[in-house]
Amino acid sequence: MRKLYEEKEVMFAVLWIVLYCVIVGTARGNFGDESVHMLLALLVFAAAITVFVKSNHLEEKYGLAGWPKDMKKYLFFIPMWILATGNIWGGFALSCRGTALIFSVSSMILVGYVEEMIFRGFLLRAMLAGNTSAAAIIVSALTFGVGHIINLFTGHGSFETIMQILFAVSLGFLFTMVCYRSGSIIPCIIAHSVIDVLSRFAADNELADWIYVGTTIVVSIIYCIYLSRLGPPKEEGRALSGTEA
């Protein structure tokens, strides 16, 4: 992995994405989000990512070195926190109970970490090394969003999958811009995990789901435009202080 990272960083990121889609997608499709198999698969991915980053001292590169400075410039990430609650706008309902709920919630927390590190960490930074920032942001966001098409093969309906892709592309741009401008991936990990965890407590409400998707698209566009006007990350002082997405 280290050699591939040093010689072909984009391929390194793509390999992580492929492995994630195949292994976690298989676990989800065969056993479900509430299974111990899904949780174990995500634990392996999270551990492997953490060991690689820490053993190679890449925390600062991937935005794990600390919380962003000068939160006021980023509007305290309020648009992102508002959208993070969207899954419960239509009411509460448990998707499962007991041990299954514990496994499901734990898995959703890990999904936020693993997916952010793969898409906003590995892929975004690899793309930034050899492309313009605009190209890197677009590829990272679209890859994350379109990647949700795998849900078609894990038991989700086509309508639900299309809605998730629209939702994920919008959040993909929002998370990517936040990570790029602030230099920290931590707010994105938190928001992503909250979205996915609350999906386990969301009531079945199609109208609320569409309101959430529509709101996410509009808010993401406005917030991304705002973030794009803050200036290049170096001018912003990137230094660090130390529907399921």
Side-chain angles (χ1 to χ4, degrees), residues 9-243:
E9 194 175 351
V10 172
M11 288 302 300
F12 169 81
V14 171
L15 177 60
W16 275 101
I17 294 171
V18 171
L19 288 174
Y20 177 77
C21 290
V22 172
I23 296 174
V24 175
T26 299
R28 169 175 276 170
N30 291 335
F31 305 105
D33 290 339
E34 68 281 1
S35 69
V36 67
H37 305 82
M38 175 76 165
L39 179 58
L40 289 175
L42 285 163
L43 281 170
V44 169
F45 266 90
I49 288 170
T50 302
V51 169
F52 176 81
V53 171
K54 287 190 172 295
S55 63
N56 292 287
H57 310 292
L58 297 169
E59 293 91 340
E60 185 169 356
K61 175 177 180 178
Y62 291 126
L64 288 170
W67 196 258
K69 287 184 176 180
D70 201 353
M71 292 275 287
K72 185 177 180 180
K73 286 186 178 180
Y74 311 108
L75 305 180
F76 302 98
F77 304 118
I78 289 175
M80 193 162 62
W81 306 138
I82 292 173
L83 292 178
T85 67
N87 274 318
I88 57 174
W89 290 355
F92 289 88
L94 291 178
S95 60
C96 51
R97 298 178 182 275
T99 304
L101 181 62
I102 295 174
F103 288 158
S104 181
V105 169
S106 300
S107 292
M108 294 303 100
I109 292 172
L110 290 171
V111 165
Y113 173 71
V114 172
E115 290 190 357
E116 287 306 306
M117 286 302 299
I118 291 174
F119 291 100
R120 251 67 64 184
F122 297 159
L123 182 59
L124 176 63
R125 295 302 161 187
M127 291 293 298
L128 284 171
N131 299 272
T132 64
S133 58
I137 290 168
I138 291 170
V139 170
S140 176
L142 290 181
T143 304
F144 172 70
V146 176
H148 284 69
I149 198 171
I150 195 173
N151 290 334
L152 283 174
F153 308 102
T154 58
H156 292 72
S158 57
F159 177 79
E160 181 183 359
T161 298
I162 291 172
M163 186 168 69
Q164 283 198 350
I165 291 173
L166 291 173
F167 176 70
V169 167
S170 300
L171 281 182
F173 275 102
L174 187 152
F175 288 156
T176 304
M177 284 296 295
V178 166
C179 185
Y180 174 65
R181 289 302 184 195
S182 72
S184 176
I185 200 171
I186 296 174
C188 302
I189 291 173
I190 294 173
H192 193 149
S193 294
V194 170
I195 289 170
D196 288 350
V197 167
L198 291 183
S199 72
R200 303 296 90 190
F201 300 91
D204 187 10
N205 188 323
E206 186 175 325
L207 176 60
D209 289 344
W210 276 111
I211 290 174
Y212 185 23
V213 172
T215 302
T216 298
I217 293 171
V218 172
V219 171
S220 294
I221 290 172
I222 295 172
Y223 192 37
C224 284
I225 291 173
Y226 170 79
L227 291 173
S228 70
R229 293 181 176 179
L230 291 180
K234 288 184 180 179
E235 296 178 12
E236 278 298 295
R238 287 177 63 200
L240 304 178
S241 62
T243 279

